[in-house]
Amino acid sequence: MSFEYAPAPESRAVVSIKPKYGHFIGGKFVAGNKHFPTVNPATEEVLSQIALAGKPEVDAAVKAARKAYVSTWSKMSGKERGKYLYRIARIMQERAREFAVLETLDNGKPIRESRDTDIPLAAAHFFYHAGWADKLEFAGVGTSPKPLGVAGQIIPWNFPLLMLAWKVAPALATGNTVVLKPAESTSLTALLFAEVCQQAELPAGVVNIVTGDGSTGALIVNHPGIDKIAFTGSTEVGKIIARAVAPTKKSVTLELGGKAANIVFEDAPIDETVEGIVNGIFFNQGHVCCAGSRLLLQENVAEEVLHKLKNRMEKIRVGDPMDKNTDVGAINSKEQLAKIVELAATGDVEGAERWSPACNLPAKGFWFAPTIFTGVTQAHRIAREEIFGPVLSVLTFRTPQEAIEKANNTPFGLSAGIWSEKGSRTLWASQQLRAGVIWANTFNKFDPTSPFGGYKESGWGREGGRHGLSAYLKGVSHE
Ligand code: NAI
Ligand code: MG
């Protein structure tokens, strides 16, 4: 039996969105030159006008970051730096509701996720790194760890504030200053974070935020005044960045795409597994680089798992992201929706079988129903390419060895999931899988203490944990 839910919308009164924003450079907001709109993807409402940084703004931001690095931040003791990070973390907690509502309005993700996952994890990253700031000599990163200098950080739209935290917190803890560019469709929480930096009285220029599109990102990547590039986004842009920095002395970390296998062995606890499959692919509309987008089912349990999965999917609530009962919100942009629609259509053409539960999608905004494809083979595009949407490709296998071969048959290697009640099988499989993060009997669990990153086309380097610290220090590598 299931109950109908009455609407339970979160109030947006807690946020005040300005009609127009500038950049945050040298501790101050400076007016932009050109602007572009940012929309609420659930309604297509224009929320604000975001500034597009060109060369003069990027130059000014890099200059401010260098000045802060030389004059203050690199000279400050780790203990003092840590105090600022603790202060930022506490303010983020105090203003958590404001951040969550703003994130959901600008990104389209359910308020339940921004409130319970994105914002608490973002604060946790600052708390965690605040603790390392005065203990770097004990982190296993050398006896005299030295920062790199000015870090250029470019982030995507799927976890806007959380990706900011993944980038800014370790950079600051290790004594670097930053120039950060949020993604063009989701700049608002980064701009609110700039206010938090002011509130925390962070020395001017330690954090600079310039908004804009790929052209702004390219200006940061190619700027001679930058010592390190940290990028999260598509493999395509990751390759462009790798080529651009190859002839320079810049350090680089790249967190790119994925096509994770979520492997269900015959002895898996089926009901828990079904929850894990749903969380693996439908969390955040499937806009997750480590999403469990390839489900590998052992043949003798495939029918039962699929039956229960479809029943479970019938109960997923898709719709208003501001409603506290919503499970799946809006697709982040018109462009991303077009990409999902196009890739899903190749599934039909190549002979896979599509299924979605009945759902009433809103007339306005960008929406895609949770979808599974069965009868998928390894040659299908939907088994090989990252869809980055709520679309699951289902394949089957007979033996554990076949599962591993299929799971590793991908240009990516970011994450994987194993469902089995047998510990020895889980350990065996995790040793065979070529993926940076492997979950057992769970999926999409994140923690600032745990390094995250990929093999092959999923990227270079690790973020989070002690491994992530080394990516912002001279001459240390955990690779
Ligand atoms: P994208 O890689 O173009 O955008 C990510 C960030 O890079 C944005 O801030 C963007 O402005 C910036 N950027 C774009 N071109 C750049 C350049 N030449 N130099 C420097 N910075 C640049 O990703 P997009 O177009 O938003 O999404 C396309 C596909 O990428 C998605 O469908 C998905 O498959 C994948 N993707 C993966 C993400 C991940 O977390 N690994 C995040 C976002 C997208
Ligand atoms: Mg937006």
Side-chain angles (χ1 to χ4, degrees), residues 15 17 39-41 47 92 96-111 113-115 117-119 122 155-165 182 185-192 284-285 321-322 332:
V15 299
I17 303 176
V39 302
N40 176 345
L47 294 169
M92 285 172 88
R97 192 149 160 261
E98 199 180 341
F99 271 113
V101 169
L102 194 59
E103 197 77 302
T104 284
L105 288 172
D106 203 18
N107 170 282
K109 66 173 70 202
I111 186 73
E113 288 179 8
S114 43
R115 183 195 65 195
T117 305
D118 294 62
I119 312 307
I155 57 173
W157 41 262
N158 53 341
F159 294 95
L161 187 73
L162 183 57
M163 289 302 105
L164 174 151
S185 62
T186 54
S187 301
L188 292 179
T189 48
L191 293 163
L192 184 60
N284 202 33
Q285 297 70 247
M322 289 289 276
N332 179 254

Side-chain angles (χ1 to χ4, degrees), residues 89-242:
R90 281 195 301 268
I91 297 171
M92 285 172 88
Q93 285 186 322
E94 280 161 20
R95 301 181 71 171
R97 192 149 160 261
E98 199 180 341
F99 271 113
V101 169
L102 194 59
E103 197 77 302
T104 284
L105 288 172
D106 203 18
N107 170 282
K109 66 173 70 202
I111 186 73
R112 188 165 56 78
E113 288 179 8
S114 43
R115 183 195 65 195
D116 298 348
T117 305
D118 294 62
I119 312 307
L121 269 176
H125 272 267
F126 279 94
F127 277 119
Y128 173 74
H129 287 95
W132 273 126
D134 64 344
K135 302 175 197 71
L136 293 173
E137 302 91 278
F138 312 106
V141 290
T143 47
S144 171
K146 296 270 180 317
L148 295 168
V150 176
Q153 308 184 317
I154 298 162
I155 57 173
W157 41 262
N158 53 341
F159 294 95
L161 187 73
L162 183 57
M163 289 302 105
L164 174 151
W166 279 33
K167 299 275 182 284
V168 174
L172 265 48
T174 47
N176 299 272
T177 58
V178 311
V179 175
L180 176 124
K181 190 196 83 65
E184 46 271 52
S185 62
T186 54
S187 301
L188 292 179
T189 48
L191 293 163
L192 184 60
F193 178 80
E195 283 180 31
V196 168
C197 292
Q198 287 183 325
Q199 198 181 337
E201 293 173 13
L202 188 71
V206 172
V207 168
N208 303 276
I209 296 176
V210 290
T211 51
D213 60 11
S215 67
T216 310
L219 286 167
I220 294 174
V221 168
N222 294 306
H223 201 291
I226 290 217
D227 301 298
K228 186 226 158 71
I229 294 292
F231 172 77
T232 298
S234 62
T235 295
E236 192 193 347
V237 173
K239 286 179 181 173
I240 296 174
I241 292 175

Side-chain angles (χ1 to χ4, degrees), residues 346-379:
T346 70
D348 301 326
V349 172
E350 294 183 344
E353 196 180 321
R354 185 199 288 242
W355 183 87
S356 291
C359 46
N360 280 332
L361 300 180
K364 283 209 104 177
F366 315 128
W367 303 94
F368 198 91
T371 298
I372 56 175
F373 278 98
T374 50
V376 177
T377 74
Q378 296 185 83

Side-chain angles (χ1 to χ4, degrees), residues 379-423:
H380 289 167
R381 278 183 70 192
I382 56 169
R384 311 195 63 79
E385 294 178 32
E386 182 174 52
I387 301 175
F388 223 63
V391 182
L392 180 65
S393 301
V394 185
L395 296 89
T396 58
F397 66 90
R398 287 189 183 166
T399 64
Q401 194 56 47
E402 188 190 341
I404 300 297
E405 276 160 27
K406 286 188 169 167
N408 286 339
N409 183 11
T410 167
F412 298 110
L414 194 54
S415 66
I418 301 165
W419 295 85
S420 167
E421 283 197 325
K422 206 168 162 190

